């Protein structure tokens, strides 16, 4: 007789991959199932938070999850214990609580299992000591969810009315957009300042003349490429006993030249001067290894070193955490939990790392005592940093089991962890002061070079250095000039944020939490508030307009300090038992007042105009900046009498429409190049009289317009008012209703002749949808019912 499953313990995790890995470590008394993430949430339609009655949320099973929940409920009825083993952060705790609420298992039989790595020993230990749900953590997550729902569902409709349809606001995302908008305006307001440098190249070889060789070398390489890299230049200089130096002092004053006249007066005096080493100063310096990864630093390193987006890094890290099939070794979680802001390491992990360093690199790479890294005050010390679960599983050893991306990220995590428990790298830093007596007095050049004396942790974690290597020199030694020149420079505006830079800024300002950075960055791009070009973030016109509206009417929501304060309050709900209702009430009072004011006073973005420096080329009246569906543009102040309008670039400069070589297929007038919401296209030069447009392909060539839909004379069976037309798609022709998008009826083109015959016989269109489905062969077959045994 088969053994009954009635006494099995039911284990629920989020993903099938995690379930498969854990299932191998637990015995036959456990059944492991996956919830596929969240199973219950606030419904997407409506706010579903009763603000007047204690912010009571209304939850429901998420669309597409009813079958999953039904299966879990059936399994829960047969279990002896319910063990909720979802992730150890707030989201994981909330998923566990929602599962406990909907599965109906008595509270005394519901347990919480948490672990930060999926290995045999960790899993067995965690399941041997299950705990209970942490309701403070659940309420912190619920408070965040309600806050975000209130902001999103009460501000977004306002933006639809006052800016453009379909827009949305987010409590944290809107502040992230503000950070990028502020940077954009800082760059726009920047005014470059001129300055001059007089760099020189010296050599200790007094017998040779390298001036022309150096100029030829930096002028072009063998393939004709102009720019020589720093590394290439360093090799040439080292080979010729040469080095670069910068003019730092003229007499007793610090060198400074702000125009060409000042610079060339000094240059004329220097180009004929004799130079010698005034003094040589050599010191030892050390470079300490960085702390092991937390979520934010992993995202930054993966962006800088691997070119991964934050979203991609987290997805790959999730795979490494949940388990990789290592052949005969079975499935194993390769890294600890990847959503953490703690640099804490367990004693066992540190011991394993030190043993590996000693055995594979030698005692000189092992510090006298283990390194301990301090976490931020807000970090949860119960969590660990991101590290490999087994340091002896080196990236190369398991390379064949990993995809290219998995290998790269695991290699990064493994190396960072090993480096954090290794000795410092040691350098010899030499500073040279070079002196010349000139017609305008003594002039001093200065340069620094660094050589690696002991690699230490850099043996596993590479350090990039642009500092040059200097030839052997001594005080009083004469030098020959290879090159000296006066160079004009201008101060540069602040750099735009890269993805790594934005993550760093969010972390520094306390905006969101490490687990949310990837979602924030993805959301603000999806909403078209910012865009990424050449791996840098640019604020769009839409992003600037929305930011201005929100800053004017919701200053607290857009205040970075207040957003940081709210994050701290959410942390206090979890860690200090602060009441979640009090946090929501303190937030909602001022927010409601701002909302009411905005609803009364906020002007529509399209009604606001800003004067420009341009005059209308058609009527000579002043042009205004206006905001439209495609962003900012220039429009004549005489509108609607004069309808001239022109696009403008990011700096507000008028973009002159360039004529193309193509003629309008409708009126034969020239087509002009334009840029719209979906990129460049061709529009008729006779707009608005002729509104013909042509899409452009990736090569900039016009794409022929789709042929017009062909009438068939067949009535639509659903709406009865429309006609079925022959339309074209990527998959070929099909029949679609002429009233699209109000009526979305679609019929296979294969039915065309059949339906024409039926209509001629008076049998089309049928009276009901069911009859039409039967005619079209769409009648659903009933599933056979299994016979009862």
């Amino acid at each position: 007789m088969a053994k009954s499953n009635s006494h099995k313990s039911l284990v629920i995790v989020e993903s099938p991959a995690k379930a498969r890995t854990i299932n191998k470590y637990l015995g036959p008394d456990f059944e492991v199932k996956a919830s596929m993430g969240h199973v219950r949430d606030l419904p997407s339609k409506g706010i579903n938070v009763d603000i007047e009655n204690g912010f009571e949320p209304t939850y429901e099973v998420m669309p597409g999850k009813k079958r999953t929940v039904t299966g879990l409920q059936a399994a829960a009825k047969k279990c002896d214990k319910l063990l909720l083993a979802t992730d150890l952060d707030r989201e994981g705790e909330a998923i566990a609580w929602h599962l406990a609420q909907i599965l109906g298992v008595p509270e005394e039989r519901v347990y919480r299992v948490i672990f930060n790595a999926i290995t045999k020993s960790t899993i067995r230990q965690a399941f041997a000591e299950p705990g209970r749900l942490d309701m403070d953590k659940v309420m912190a997550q619920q408070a965040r969810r309600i806050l975000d729902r209130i902001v999103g569902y009460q501000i977004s409709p306002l933006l639809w009315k006052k800016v453009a349809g379909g827009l949305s606001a987010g409590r944290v995302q809107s502040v992230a957009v503000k950070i990028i908008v502020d940077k954009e305006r800082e760059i726009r307001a920047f005014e470059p300042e001129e300055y001059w440098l007089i760099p020189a190249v010296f050599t200790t070889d007094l017998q040779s003349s390298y001036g022309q060789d150096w100029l030829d070398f930096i002028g072009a390489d063998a393939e004709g490429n102009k720019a020589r890299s720093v590394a290439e230049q360093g090799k040439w200089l080292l080979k010729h006993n040469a080095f670069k130096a910068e003019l730092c002092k003229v007499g007793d004053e610090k060198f400074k030249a702000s125009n060409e006249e000042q610079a060339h007066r000094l240059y004329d005096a220097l180009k004929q001067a004799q130079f010698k080493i005034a003094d040589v100063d050599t010191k030892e310096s050390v470079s300490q290894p960085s702390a092991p990864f937390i979520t934010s630093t992993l995202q930054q390193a993966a962006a800088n070193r691997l070119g991964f987006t934050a979203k991609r890094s987290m997805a790959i890290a999730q795979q490494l955490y949940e388990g990789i099939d290592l052949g005969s070794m079975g499935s194993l979680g390769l890294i600890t939990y990847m959503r953490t802001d703690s640099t804490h390491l367990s004693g066992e992990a540190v011991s394993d790392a030190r043993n590996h360093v000693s055995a594979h690199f030698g005692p000189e790479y092992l510090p006298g005592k283990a390194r301990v890294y301090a976490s931020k005050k807000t970090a949860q010390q119960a969590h660990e940093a991101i590290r490999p679960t087994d340091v002896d599983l080196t990236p190369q050893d398991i390379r064949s089991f990993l995809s290219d991306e998995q290998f790269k990220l695991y290699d990064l995590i493994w190396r960072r962890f090993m480096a954090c428990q290794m000795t410092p790298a040691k350098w010899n830093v030499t500073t040279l002061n070079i002196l010349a007596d000139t017609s305008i007095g003594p002039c001093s050049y200065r340069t620094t070079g660094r050589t690696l004396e002991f690699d230490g942790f850099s043996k596993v974690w590479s350090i990039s250095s642009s500092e040059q290597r200097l030839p052997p020199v001594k005080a009083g030694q004469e030098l020959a000039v290879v090159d000296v020149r006066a160079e004009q420079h201008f101060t540069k505006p602040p750099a735009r944020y890269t993805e790594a830079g934005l993550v760093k800024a969010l972390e520094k300002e306390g905006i969101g939490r490490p687990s949310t950075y990837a979602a924030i960055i993805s959301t603000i791009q999806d909403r078209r508030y910012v865009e990424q070009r050449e791996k840098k973030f640019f604020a769009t016109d839409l992003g600037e307009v929305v930011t201005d509206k929100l800053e004017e009417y919701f200053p607290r929501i857009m205040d970075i300090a207040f957003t940081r304060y709210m994050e701290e309050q959410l942390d206090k709900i979890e860690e200090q038992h602060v009441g979640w209702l009090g946090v929501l009430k303190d937030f909602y009072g001022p927010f409601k007042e701002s909302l009411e004011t905005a609803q009364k006073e906020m002007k529509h973005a399209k009604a606001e105009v800003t004067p420009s420096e341009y005059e209308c080329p058609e009527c000579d009246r002043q042009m205004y900046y206006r905001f439209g569906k495609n962003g900012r543009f220039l429009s004549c102040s005489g509108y609607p009498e004069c309808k001239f309008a022109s696009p403008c670039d990011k700096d507000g400069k008028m973009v002159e429409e360039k004529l193309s070589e193509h003629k309008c297929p409708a009126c034969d007038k020239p087509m002009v190049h334009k840029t719209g919401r979906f990129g460049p296209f061709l529009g008729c030069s006779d707009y608005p009289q002729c509104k013909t447009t042509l899409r452009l392909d990736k090569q900039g060539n016009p794409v022929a317009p789709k042929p017009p839909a062909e009438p068939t004379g067949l009535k639509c069976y659903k709406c009865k008012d429309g006609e079925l037309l022959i339309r074209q798609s990527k998959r070929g022709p099909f029949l679609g209703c002429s009233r699209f998008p109000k009526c979305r009826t679609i019929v296979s083109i294969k039915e065309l002749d059949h339906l024409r015959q039926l209509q001629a016989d008076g049998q089309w269109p049928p009276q009901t949808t069911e009859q039409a489905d039967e005619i079209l062969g769409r009648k659903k077959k009933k599933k056979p019912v299994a016979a009862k045994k």
Side-chain angles (χ1 to χ4, degrees), residues 111 134 182-183 185 191 194 224 252 295 301 335 369 455 482 494 512 539 555 594 604 608 612 683 697:
Y111 295 88
D134 184 342
D182 287 349
K183 180 68 73 176
R185 287 173 175 170
E191 293 185 5
E194 182 183 9
D252 294 327
T295 304
I335 64 170
K369 59 180 181 178
D455 53 4
V482 175
S594 296
H604 200 291
E608 296 178 330
S612 79
D697 61 20

Side-chain angles (χ1 to χ4, degrees), residues 6-139:
S6 60
H7 296 294
K8 277 194 172 185
S9 292
L10 176 62
V11 179
I12 302 180
V13 297
E14 293 102 317
S15 73
K18 192 174 175 182
R20 284 192 296 271
T21 307
I22 290 175
N23 193 46
K24 294 179 180 180
Y25 300 143
L26 300 176
D29 295 333
F30 295 86
E31 182 181 11
V32 186
K33 288 189 172 291
S35 70
M36 310 299 290
H38 281 274
V39 293
R40 199 171 71 155
D41 195 9
L42 300 171
S44 58
K45 290 185 178 178
I47 191 167
N48 292 292
V49 176
D50 192 345
I51 296 170
E52 303 301 324
N53 292 293
F55 296 91
E56 185 66 30
T58 299
Y59 293 112
E60 68 175 24
V61 175
M62 295 165 67
K65 289 296 182 74
K66 290 184 179 178
R67 182 178 294 181
T68 299
V69 169
T70 301
L72 293 175
Q73 286 173 333
K77 287 178 182 178
K78 299 183 290 182
C79 76
D80 181 47
K81 287 182 185 177
L82 175 60
L83 297 159
L84 300 167
T86 49
D87 287 344
L88 53 88
D89 57 9
R90 280 182 201 160
E91 291 299 316
E93 203 74 24
I95 293 172
W97 178 71
H98 283 296
L99 287 167
Q101 292 287 301
I102 63 178
L103 294 184
V105 177
E107 188 176 340
E108 63 272 13
R109 292 199 281 120
V110 178
Y111 295 88
R112 180 76 170 103
V113 181
I114 58 173
F115 42 83
N116 77 324
I118 304 178
T119 62
K120 191 173 185 178
S121 60
T122 306
I123 294 299
R124 288 191 171 178
Q125 183 180 348
F127 277 85
E129 301 171 359
R132 299 291 182 178
L133 284 167
D134 184 342
M135 291 309 297
D136 286 333
K137 194 177 280 190
V138 172
M139 291 302 105

Side-chain angles (χ1 to χ4, degrees), residues 272-292:
Q272 303 298 329
Q274 300 294 316
F275 294 86
K276 66 178 179 179
I277 302 289
D279 63 74
V280 181
D281 181 27
T282 301
K283 294 180 180 178
E284 185 182 89
S285 72
V286 296
S287 299
Q288 301 289 349
S290 299

Side-chain angles (χ1 to χ4, degrees), residues 137 261 374 395 461 606 618 783:
K137 194 177 280 190
E261 182 182 353
W461 185 263
K606 292 182 181 179
E618 293 188 0
K783 293 182 180 179

Side-chain angles (χ1 to χ4, degrees), residues 712-724:
T712 64
L714 293 168
K715 290 287 185 181
C716 175
Y717 68 88
K718 273 189 183 175
C719 67
K720 303 294 193 294
D721 296 326
E723 176 188 350
L724 294 181

